[in-house]
Amino acid sequence: MSPFVYVLTTNGLLFLLSIIFWKFPPKKINNWYGYRTHKSMLNQKIWDFANAIFCKNLLVYAGISFIGGLIFANFATIELSWQPMVLVLLSVLVSIIKTERAISDNFTEEGKEK
């Protein structure tokens, strides 16, 4: 498989999904679509806050991941195997960690605003 095709199907797909998630955020708390953790589903205010923060973070880090993957593909002397997937994993992990930290900084454990 071509390195560019591999990056497009991993990092590019994550970037596309982050754009869709950003353009069409979930309106109500549900079990199918959105940033769903115990903290984010406590009430509608936290739900809206968490999804807005997560969408922004994922868009930024998925974009960085996509550009990084394209750079890897451009300079690859061997076939890419795990490098683009590590970028995808890091993008998602950093987005989750930053979102959880923002929720903890702005809301109590009971779901009330600080």
Side-chain angles (χ1 to χ4, degrees), residues 6-34:
Y6 183 48
V7 168
L8 286 174
T9 57
T10 55
N11 304 78
L13 182 62
L14 179 66
F15 187 60
L16 177 66
L17 289 174
S18 69
I19 291 171
I20 292 169
F21 195 50
W22 176 62
K23 287 285 191 185
F24 305 103
K27 304 288 185 228
K28 296 181 180 178
I29 298 173
N30 64 73
N31 289 324
W32 295 98
Y33 180 66

mmCIF file of all heavy atoms in Angstrom, residues 6-34:
data_model
loop_
_atom_site.group_PDB
_atom_site.id
_atom_site.type_symbol
_atom_site.label_atom_id
_atom_site.label_comp_id
_atom_site.label_asym_id
_atom_site.label_seq_id
_atom_site.Cartn_x
_atom_site.Cartn_y
_atom_site.Cartn_z
ATOM 1 N N TYR A 6 -2.154 5.127 2.832
ATOM 2 C CA TYR A 6 -2.241 4.714 4.230
ATOM 3 C C TYR A 6 -2.523 5.906 5.147
ATOM 4 O O TYR A 6 -3.375 5.842 6.021
ATOM 5 C CB TYR A 6 -0.945 4.005 4.631
ATOM 6 C CG TYR A 6 -0.936 3.457 6.033
ATOM 7 C CD1 TYR A 6 -1.989 2.698 6.520
ATOM 8 C CD2 TYR A 6 0.140 3.694 6.874
ATOM 9 C CE1 TYR A 6 -1.979 2.190 7.804
ATOM 10 C CE2 TYR A 6 0.166 3.183 8.157
ATOM 11 C CZ TYR A 6 -0.896 2.437 8.612
ATOM 12 O OH TYR A 6 -0.884 1.942 9.878
ATOM 13 N N VAL A 7 -1.820 7.006 4.924
ATOM 14 C CA VAL A 7 -2.035 8.210 5.741
ATOM 15 C C VAL A 7 -3.430 8.776 5.494
ATOM 16 O O VAL A 7 -4.106 9.213 6.435
ATOM 17 C CB VAL A 7 -0.936 9.252 5.460
ATOM 18 C CG1 VAL A 7 -1.290 10.601 6.048
ATOM 19 C CG2 VAL A 7 0.404 8.771 6.003
ATOM 20 N N LEU A 8 -3.889 8.754 4.261
ATOM 21 C CA LEU A 8 -5.233 9.260 3.965
ATOM 22 C C LEU A 8 -6.320 8.413 4.619
ATOM 23 O O LEU A 8 -7.347 8.943 5.033
ATOM 24 C CB LEU A 8 -5.460 9.326 2.455
ATOM 25 C CG LEU A 8 -4.739 10.452 1.718
ATOM 26 C CD1 LEU A 8 -4.944 10.315 0.211
ATOM 27 C CD2 LEU A 8 -5.204 11.807 2.196
ATOM 28 N N THR A 9 -6.104 7.105 4.711
ATOM 29 C CA THR A 9 -7.126 6.233 5.294
ATOM 30 C C THR A 9 -7.071 6.173 6.814
ATOM 31 O O THR A 9 -8.005 5.673 7.431
ATOM 32 C CB THR A 9 -7.022 4.801 4.735
ATOM 33 O OG1 THR A 9 -5.711 4.291 4.990
ATOM 34 C CG2 THR A 9 -7.322 4.773 3.254
ATOM 35 N N THR A 10 -6.014 6.665 7.424
ATOM 36 C CA THR A 10 -5.950 6.688 8.886
ATOM 37 C C THR A 10 -6.086 8.122 9.393
ATOM 38 O O THR A 10 -7.119 8.505 9.929
ATOM 39 C CB THR A 10 -4.643 6.055 9.399
ATOM 40 O OG1 THR A 10 -3.530 6.720 8.797
ATOM 41 C CG2 THR A 10 -4.591 4.584 9.106
ATOM 42 N N ASN A 11 -5.059 8.907 9.190
ATOM 43 C CA ASN A 11 -5.044 10.277 9.692
ATOM 44 C C ASN A 11 -6.054 11.154 8.958
ATOM 45 O O ASN A 11 -6.689 12.016 9.568
ATOM 46 C CB ASN A 11 -3.639 10.863 9.557
ATOM 47 C CG ASN A 11 -2.612 10.025 10.253
ATOM 48 O OD1 ASN A 11 -2.216 8.994 9.714
ATOM 49 N ND2 ASN A 11 -2.188 10.427 11.417
ATOM 50 N N GLY A 12 -6.203 10.938 7.667
ATOM 51 C CA GLY A 12 -7.169 11.715 6.898
ATOM 52 C C GLY A 12 -8.592 11.427 7.321
ATOM 53 O O GLY A 12 -9.423 12.332 7.406
ATOM 54 N N LEU A 13 -8.886 10.166 7.603
ATOM 55 C CA LEU A 13 -10.226 9.798 8.063
ATOM 56 C C LEU A 13 -10.527 10.416 9.424
ATOM 57 O O LEU A 13 -11.624 10.927 9.653
ATOM 58 C CB LEU A 13 -10.363 8.279 8.123
ATOM 59 C CG LEU A 13 -11.726 7.749 8.535
ATOM 60 C CD1 LEU A 13 -12.787 8.178 7.527
ATOM 61 C CD2 LEU A 13 -11.693 6.246 8.661
ATOM 62 N N LEU A 14 -9.552 10.409 10.335
ATOM 63 C CA LEU A 14 -9.751 11.039 11.640
ATOM 64 C C LEU A 14 -9.995 12.541 11.468
ATOM 65 O O LEU A 14 -10.875 13.109 12.116
ATOM 66 C CB LEU A 14 -8.545 10.808 12.546
ATOM 67 C CG LEU A 14 -8.649 11.456 13.931
ATOM 68 C CD1 LEU A 14 -9.761 10.802 14.743
ATOM 69 C CD2 LEU A 14 -7.330 11.374 14.658
ATOM 70 N N PHE A 15 -9.249 13.181 10.593
ATOM 71 C CA PHE A 15 -9.439 14.609 10.360
ATOM 72 C C PHE A 15 -10.819 14.883 9.765
ATOM 73 O O PHE A 15 -11.505 15.820 10.175
ATOM 74 C CB PHE A 15 -8.327 15.143 9.451
ATOM 75 C CG PHE A 15 -8.347 16.627 9.279
ATOM 76 C CD1 PHE A 15 -8.217 17.469 10.371
ATOM 77 C CD2 PHE A 15 -8.497 17.181 8.033
ATOM 78 C CE1 PHE A 15 -8.239 18.855 10.219
ATOM 79 C CE2 PHE A 15 -8.521 18.553 7.864
ATOM 80 C CZ PHE A 15 -8.385 19.389 8.963
ATOM 81 N N LEU A 16 -11.259 14.054 8.832
ATOM 82 C CA LEU A 16 -12.588 14.213 8.246
ATOM 83 C C LEU A 16 -13.676 14.027 9.304
ATOM 84 O O LEU A 16 -14.634 14.807 9.365
ATOM 85 C CB LEU A 16 -12.786 13.217 7.100
ATOM 86 C CG LEU A 16 -14.154 13.211 6.437
ATOM 87 C CD1 LEU A 16 -14.394 14.536 5.715
ATOM 88 C CD2 LEU A 16 -14.281 12.044 5.489
ATOM 89 N N LEU A 17 -13.535 13.024 10.140
ATOM 90 C CA LEU A 17 -14.511 12.799 11.211
ATOM 91 C C LEU A 17 -14.523 13.949 12.211
ATOM 92 O O LEU A 17 -15.581 14.320 12.721
ATOM 93 C CB LEU A 17 -14.230 11.480 11.923
ATOM 94 C CG LEU A 17 -14.532 10.222 11.112
ATOM 95 C CD1 LEU A 17 -14.070 8.985 11.869
ATOM 96 C CD2 LEU A 17 -15.990 10.132 10.765
ATOM 97 N N SER A 18 -13.362 14.539 12.476
ATOM 98 C CA SER A 18 -13.323 15.672 13.406
ATOM 99 C C SER A 18 -14.027 16.891 12.811
ATOM 100 O O SER A 18 -14.681 17.640 13.539
ATOM 101 C CB SER A 18 -11.886 16.012 13.795
ATOM 102 O OG SER A 18 -11.172 16.563 12.710
ATOM 103 N N ILE A 19 -13.933 17.076 11.501
ATOM 104 C CA ILE A 19 -14.649 18.175 10.841
ATOM 105 C C ILE A 19 -16.153 17.939 10.914
ATOM 106 O O ILE A 19 -16.926 18.852 11.224
ATOM 107 C CB ILE A 19 -14.181 18.333 9.380
ATOM 108 C CG1 ILE A 19 -12.745 18.847 9.338
ATOM 109 C CG2 ILE A 19 -15.107 19.278 8.615
ATOM 110 C CD1 ILE A 19 -12.123 18.844 7.958
ATOM 111 N N ILE A 20 -16.584 16.717 10.648
ATOM 112 C CA ILE A 20 -18.014 16.384 10.730
ATOM 113 C C ILE A 20 -18.515 16.583 12.151
ATOM 114 O O ILE A 20 -19.588 17.155 12.372
ATOM 115 C CB ILE A 20 -18.262 14.936 10.244
ATOM 116 C CG1 ILE A 20 -17.991 14.835 8.747
ATOM 117 C CG2 ILE A 20 -19.678 14.475 10.573
ATOM 118 C CD1 ILE A 20 -17.946 13.420 8.216
ATOM 119 N N PHE A 21 -17.755 16.119 13.136
ATOM 120 C CA PHE A 21 -18.132 16.256 14.532
ATOM 121 C C PHE A 21 -18.204 17.731 14.932
ATOM 122 O O PHE A 21 -19.060 18.134 15.708
ATOM 123 C CB PHE A 21 -17.117 15.498 15.386
ATOM 124 C CG PHE A 21 -17.543 15.243 16.793
ATOM 125 C CD1 PHE A 21 -18.770 14.695 17.084
ATOM 126 C CD2 PHE A 21 -16.688 15.523 17.840
ATOM 127 C CE1 PHE A 21 -19.157 14.446 18.393
ATOM 128 C CE2 PHE A 21 -17.057 15.280 19.149
ATOM 129 C CZ PHE A 21 -18.297 14.744 19.415
ATOM 130 N N TRP A 22 -17.310 18.550 14.402
ATOM 131 C CA TRP A 22 -17.286 19.976 14.693
ATOM 132 C C TRP A 22 -18.476 20.694 14.048
ATOM 133 O O TRP A 22 -19.095 21.549 14.669
ATOM 134 C CB TRP A 22 -15.969 20.553 14.209
ATOM 135 C CG TRP A 22 -15.809 22.025 14.347
ATOM 136 C CD1 TRP A 22 -15.804 22.745 15.509
ATOM 137 C CD2 TRP A 22 -15.621 22.953 13.288
ATOM 138 N NE1 TRP A 22 -15.614 24.077 15.225
ATOM 139 C CE2 TRP A 22 -15.497 24.235 13.868
ATOM 140 C CE3 TRP A 22 -15.529 22.827 11.908
ATOM 141 C CZ2 TRP A 22 -15.299 25.368 13.114
ATOM 142 C CZ3 TRP A 22 -15.313 23.966 11.167
ATOM 143 C CH2 TRP A 22 -15.212 25.218 11.759
ATOM 144 N N LYS A 23 -18.804 20.329 12.804
ATOM 145 C CA LYS A 23 -19.909 20.969 12.088
ATOM 146 C C LYS A 23 -21.280 20.532 12.609
ATOM 147 O O LYS A 23 -22.238 21.296 12.569
ATOM 148 C CB LYS A 23 -19.829 20.657 10.586
ATOM 149 C CG LYS A 23 -18.746 21.376 9.865
ATOM 150 C CD LYS A 23 -19.145 22.808 9.681
ATOM 151 C CE LYS A 23 -18.184 23.484 8.721
ATOM 152 N NZ LYS A 23 -18.471 24.901 8.622
ATOM 153 N N PHE A 24 -21.380 19.298 13.054
ATOM 154 C CA PHE A 24 -22.658 18.737 13.510
ATOM 155 C C PHE A 24 -22.517 18.173 14.924
ATOM 156 O O PHE A 24 -22.571 16.956 15.118
ATOM 157 C CB PHE A 24 -23.135 17.644 12.555
ATOM 158 C CG PHE A 24 -23.232 18.091 11.128
ATOM 159 C CD1 PHE A 24 -22.259 17.730 10.206
ATOM 160 C CD2 PHE A 24 -24.289 18.890 10.713
ATOM 161 C CE1 PHE A 24 -22.339 18.152 8.891
ATOM 162 C CE2 PHE A 24 -24.380 19.313 9.401
ATOM 163 C CZ PHE A 24 -23.402 18.949 8.483
ATOM 164 N N PRO A 25 -22.352 19.041 15.932
ATOM 165 C CA PRO A 25 -22.210 18.533 17.295
ATOM 166 C C PRO A 25 -23.536 17.964 17.809
ATOM 167 O O PRO A 25 -24.607 18.355 17.335
ATOM 168 C CB PRO A 25 -21.807 19.778 18.096
ATOM 169 C CG PRO A 25 -22.377 20.914 17.321
ATOM 170 C CD PRO A 25 -22.321 20.497 15.870
ATOM 171 N N PRO A 26 -23.474 17.048 18.750
ATOM 172 C CA PRO A 26 -24.717 16.483 19.297
ATOM 173 C C PRO A 26 -25.477 17.532 20.099
ATOM 174 O O PRO A 26 -24.886 18.328 20.820
ATOM 175 C CB PRO A 26 -24.220 15.349 20.186
ATOM 176 C CG PRO A 26 -22.835 15.730 20.545
ATOM 177 C CD PRO A 26 -22.291 16.489 19.389
ATOM 178 N N LYS A 27 -26.777 17.528 19.952
ATOM 179 C CA LYS A 27 -27.616 18.524 20.633
ATOM 180 C C LYS A 27 -28.013 18.069 22.031
ATOM 181 O O LYS A 27 -27.995 18.845 22.969
ATOM 182 C CB LYS A 27 -28.884 18.799 19.814
ATOM 183 C CG LYS A 27 -28.609 19.236 18.397
ATOM 184 C CD LYS A 27 -28.063 20.631 18.349
ATOM 185 C CE LYS A 27 -27.914 21.067 16.906
ATOM 186 N NZ LYS A 27 -26.663 21.653 16.593
ATOM 187 N N LYS A 28 -28.397 16.823 22.167
ATOM 188 C CA LYS A 28 -28.877 16.299 23.445
ATOM 189 C C LYS A 28 -28.006 15.131 23.887
ATOM 190 O O LYS A 28 -27.369 14.468 23.075
ATOM 191 C CB LYS A 28 -30.326 15.828 23.317
ATOM 192 C CG LYS A 28 -31.288 16.951 23.008
ATOM 193 C CD LYS A 28 -32.694 16.436 22.927
ATOM 194 C CE LYS A 28 -33.634 17.589 22.612
ATOM 195 N NZ LYS A 28 -35.004 17.149 22.477
ATOM 196 N N ILE A 29 -28.026 14.852 25.169
ATOM 197 C CA ILE A 29 -27.281 13.717 25.715
ATOM 198 C C ILE A 29 -27.845 12.432 25.120
ATOM 199 O O ILE A 29 -29.054 12.218 25.127
ATOM 200 C CB ILE A 29 -27.385 13.686 27.254
ATOM 201 C CG1 ILE A 29 -26.772 14.949 27.845
ATOM 202 C CG2 ILE A 29 -26.721 12.441 27.813
ATOM 203 C CD1 ILE A 29 -26.976 15.092 29.340
ATOM 204 N N ASN A 30 -26.957 11.614 24.581
ATOM 205 C CA ASN A 30 -27.384 10.351 23.970
ATOM 206 C C ASN A 30 -26.282 9.322 24.135
ATOM 207 O O ASN A 30 -25.181 9.646 24.561
ATOM 208 C CB ASN A 30 -27.732 10.564 22.494
ATOM 209 C CG ASN A 30 -26.534 10.984 21.686
ATOM 210 O OD1 ASN A 30 -25.662 10.184 21.412
ATOM 211 N ND2 ASN A 30 -26.484 12.256 21.304
ATOM 212 N N ASN A 31 -26.580 8.082 23.782
ATOM 213 C CA ASN A 31 -25.601 6.997 23.886
ATOM 214 C C ASN A 31 -24.962 6.638 22.559
ATOM 215 O O ASN A 31 -24.257 5.642 22.468
ATOM 216 C CB ASN A 31 -26.274 5.751 24.479
ATOM 217 C CG ASN A 31 -26.582 5.928 25.933
ATOM 218 O OD1 ASN A 31 -25.822 6.555 26.661
ATOM 219 N ND2 ASN A 31 -27.704 5.390 26.378
ATOM 220 N N TRP A 32 -25.194 7.428 21.508
ATOM 221 C CA TRP A 32 -24.705 7.070 20.180
ATOM 222 C C TRP A 32 -23.669 8.014 19.627
ATOM 223 O O TRP A 32 -22.747 7.590 18.944
ATOM 224 C CB TRP A 32 -25.874 6.999 19.192
ATOM 225 C CG TRP A 32 -26.825 5.920 19.529
ATOM 226 C CD1 TRP A 32 -28.006 6.054 20.211
ATOM 227 C CD2 TRP A 32 -26.684 4.533 19.263
ATOM 228 N NE1 TRP A 32 -28.609 4.843 20.368
ATOM 229 C CE2 TRP A 32 -27.811 3.873 19.781
ATOM 230 C CE3 TRP A 32 -25.714 3.781 18.632
ATOM 231 C CZ2 TRP A 32 -27.981 2.508 19.680
ATOM 232 C CZ3 TRP A 32 -25.905 2.419 18.532
ATOM 233 C CH2 TRP A 32 -27.021 1.795 19.050
ATOM 234 N N TYR A 33 -23.816 9.305 19.863
ATOM 235 C CA TYR A 33 -23.011 10.282 19.157
ATOM 236 C C TYR A 33 -22.581 11.386 20.102
ATOM 237 O O TYR A 33 -23.404 11.964 20.800
ATOM 238 C CB TYR A 33 -23.842 10.864 18.004
ATOM 239 C CG TYR A 33 -23.156 11.909 17.165
ATOM 240 C CD1 TYR A 33 -22.075 11.584 16.382
ATOM 241 C CD2 TYR A 33 -23.614 13.217 17.161
ATOM 242 C CE1 TYR A 33 -21.459 12.539 15.604
ATOM 243 C CE2 TYR A 33 -23.010 14.179 16.376
ATOM 244 C CZ TYR A 33 -21.926 13.831 15.603
ATOM 245 O OH TYR A 33 -21.309 14.774 14.834
ATOM 246 N N GLY A 34 -21.304 11.663 20.153
ATOM 247 C CA GLY A 34 -20.787 12.736 20.983
ATOM 248 C C GLY A 34 -19.692 12.246 21.909
ATOM 249 O O GLY A 34 -19.322 11.073 21.905
#
